[in-house]
Amino acid sequence: MEHKVQEILEQQVLTVAKAVEEKIDDEIAALEKLDLDDIEVLRERRLQQMKKMAEKRSRWMSLGHGEYTEIFSEKDFFAIVKASDRVVCHFYRENWPCKVVDKHLSILAKQHIETRFIKIQAEKSPFLAEKLKIVVLPTIALIKNAKVDDYVVGFDELGGTDDFSTEELEERLAKAQVIFFEGESSMKPSKSQTRNVRHGSNSNGSDSE
């Protein structure tokens, strides 16, 4: 029986290897067919992509991306979520669990300049805390296009203890698609989690685009 299983496994490995080899052969054949004009077109396209990315990086840096910063007014919060497409906002109070979150977000802010990372003291932001239903601290609000798409509340999703790794938090933010992360398993938040955070008098949380 074991011998038969071994034979099946070997056959599967050979099949996969053959498929990979054929794919590589196809890619090599495609490259060999490229003439100088094709190569120049690809080069120009790559240069344009690099230029666009450099412009994006410059814009992100001008908006305060790349650093984990504290904001002190609700007015600043609304200005930031309007200016940046992706914002990670830590609602905190002066306690140990919030300091743990600060440590990890400081690292991630430098690694993910595509996203703005901020913190705001919940007790000094009563309007925001009520509007976004912030109860447990720390709470990390994950904001895309001026809407809160998801929350990380406490440490329950991070192993339930304060010794979780930066990578674990990074993966959680990536699943909410608020940061770009190679190899992420995309998981779009449900519409029921979305709350509008555009500044206005509409208190029922409905969109007012």
Side-chain angles (χ1 to χ4, degrees), residues 53 56-69 84-89 103-118 142-143 165-184:
M53 182 51 69
K56 274 187 179 181
R57 288 174 67 92
S58 178
R59 180 175 177 276
W60 287 334
M61 299 302 279
S62 73
L63 290 172
H65 293 220
E67 296 293 335
Y68 177 50
T69 52
S84 294
D85 293 339
R86 293 165 299 278
V87 180
V88 171
C89 181
K103 177 188 76 171
H104 294 299
L105 292 184
S106 294
I107 295 168
L108 292 175
K110 291 178 173 60
Q111 293 176 351
H112 292 277
I113 66 165
E114 72 277 6
T115 301
R116 181 80 192 268
F117 286 79
I118 58 175
L142 311 180
I143 303 156
S165 68
T166 302
E167 289 73 24
E168 286 175 293
L169 179 55
E170 180 181 36
E171 186 173 351
R172 176 62 183 84
L173 300 186
K175 284 180 179 178
Q177 299 178 330
V178 77
I179 60 173
F180 302 151
F181 183 51
E182 290 299 322
E184 72 179 272

